[in-house]
Amino acid sequence: MKNWKKRMAAALLTAVMAAGVVANATPASAAILTAKQYLAKMEKASKKAKSYETTQTTTVKVSQEGQNVTSKTTAKQIVFQNPVKSKAVTTVKVTGDGIEQESKSVVYIKETAKGNIYEYVSVDGSEYERINITDIFSNANAVDTSLYSDARIAKNSVKVNKNDTVQISAKVKGADMAKALEVLGMTEDQTSELGVDYKTLDPIKVTLWIDKKTYLPVKATTDMAAFYNGYFKSMYEAMGAESDISYTTAKSTVTYKNFNKATKFKFPDFSK
């Protein structure tokens, strides 16, 4: 039982990290260009941006042991890249079996004069907890559009938030996701302990909208339901059990705005 709980904890950690990897992977740029060329240009343009803002919404519907749970997460973030600093306000609403829970967290990221990067987390108005994320943050920045495969242009011209964009469809294969999780700190031992064969998992579906003039990302969506279902099925089979976890929805949407003119903010007194 102890080993089973350990595996489940690691599994949930992987699921959370996977959502973050895909949602935050910076889309590469977008002339007549191929999908890969648009992605490459987007990546280059994004790295040059001094600041931007994002709004991310994630909806998950999952059932287990006859219980249905729905969660909706909304995260609004302001990012400045040199020096690194950001502010993110996240609300999570979970409903299921007549129970409704809602929580809010505020996360600041700050780079020191010595180049160290710290994350300050406050949950439901509590005091801030400081975490050194220097190594993880650097590795996260390395996770880019190289994750995407089978990229193709779905539509050559689509209006999104008044921007003329190119719509690109792509996939993130299971094997590539495993590599990305290791980059973000999911060790090989943790990955192998789950008994999950990432190569057998269904890919994550990704859709990107890239501004045709600036090559900056405008919007990105991911569909991870099939990936999650295969992930838990593989993990349970490794334990000699049958998975009763079923994801009917696992979708995330990110919109980008205010490139190079993000809203300025001040850091609070983290000692309080």
Side-chain angles (χ1 to χ4, degrees):
M1 177 63 72
K2 184 177 180 180
N3 187 47
W4 183 85
K5 289 183 177 180
K6 191 175 181 182
R7 288 191 178 193
M8 281 300 296
L12 292 173
L13 173 62
T14 304
V16 171
M17 292 178 70
V21 167
V22 179
N24 293 302
T26 304
S29 210
I32 298 199
L33 302 171
T34 66
K36 286 186 177 181
Q37 288 173 326
Y38 270 114
L39 290 175
K41 283 182 174 291
M42 186 180 74
E43 185 173 331
K44 185 177 180 180
S46 298
K47 288 180 178 179
K48 289 183 177 180
K50 295 179 180 179
S51 65
Y52 59 92
E53 298 178 35
T54 66
T55 298
Q56 179 178 349
T57 58
T58 303
T59 301
V60 173
K61 295 182 180 180
V62 59
S63 62
Q64 184 178 22
E65 297 180 350
Q67 296 183 352
N68 298 311
V69 176
T70 298
S71 70
K72 183 176 181 179
T73 303
T74 302
K76 294 186 177 183
Q77 185 175 32
I78 304 171
V79 179
F80 289 84
Q81 302 204 93
N82 189 22
V84 174
K85 70 173 186 177
S86 71
K87 175 185 178 180
V89 179
T90 302
T91 57
V92 181
K93 185 176 182 179
V94 180
T95 57
D97 294 329
I99 299 175
E100 183 173 302
Q101 296 179 330
E102 191 167 345
S103 62
K104 179 180 179 179
S105 64
V106 181
V107 177
Y108 288 91
I109 294 178
K110 183 178 182 180
E111 181 178 4
T112 67
K114 294 183 179 180
N116 292 318
I117 300 174
Y118 291 92
E119 182 178 68
Y120 298 83
V121 183
S122 175
V123 180
D124 292 329
S126 61
E127 63 182 20
Y128 287 91
E129 177 185 2
R130 190 178 82 157
I131 306 169
N132 190 330
I133 62 168
T134 305
D135 293 337
I136 296 176
F137 190 89
S138 298
N139 289 336
N141 280 347
V143 180
D144 53 24
T145 51
S146 62
L147 282 175
Y148 302 142
S149 59
D150 300 334
R152 66 180 182 83
I153 295 177
K155 294 182 180 180
N156 281 303
S157 183
V158 183
K159 284 288 184 179
V160 179
N161 298 333
K162 298 182 180 180
N163 297 286
D164 186 15
T165 72
V166 60
Q167 180 181 329
I168 294 176
S169 297
K171 298 176 182 178
V172 178
K173 296 180 180 179
D176 293 325
M177 179 56 69
K179 295 176 183 177
L181 291 172
E182 289 181 9
V183 169
L184 291 178
M186 190 73 176
T187 67
E188 187 176 348
D189 288 340
Q190 289 174 314
T191 303
S192 61
E193 182 181 316
L194 298 174
V196 177
D197 184 358
Y198 284 85
K199 294 180 180 179
T200 66
L201 302 184
D202 287 334
I204 297 167
K205 298 177 182 179
V206 182
T207 305
L208 307 166
W209 288 263
I210 301 169
D211 191 298
K212 297 177 72 173
K213 291 182 178 180
T214 65
Y215 302 120
L216 289 167
V218 176
K219 180 180 175 181
T221 65
T222 59
D223 187 342
M224 303 183 69
F227 176 86
Y228 278 165
N229 284 326
Y231 169 80
F232 282 102
K233 180 181 179 181
S234 181
M235 186 198 71
Y236 270 73
E237 288 178 347
M239 296 187 294
E242 185 175 344
S243 174
D244 61 349
I245 299 176
S246 176
Y247 283 83
T248 55
T249 302
K251 294 183 177 181
S252 182
T253 299
V254 182
T255 57
Y256 299 79
K257 68 177 184 178
N258 292 343
F259 278 98
N260 299 319
K261 54 180 181 180
T263 304
K264 295 181 180 180
F265 65 89
K266 294 182 179 180
F267 291 109
D269 183 353
F270 295 122
S271 63
K272 293 182 179 179

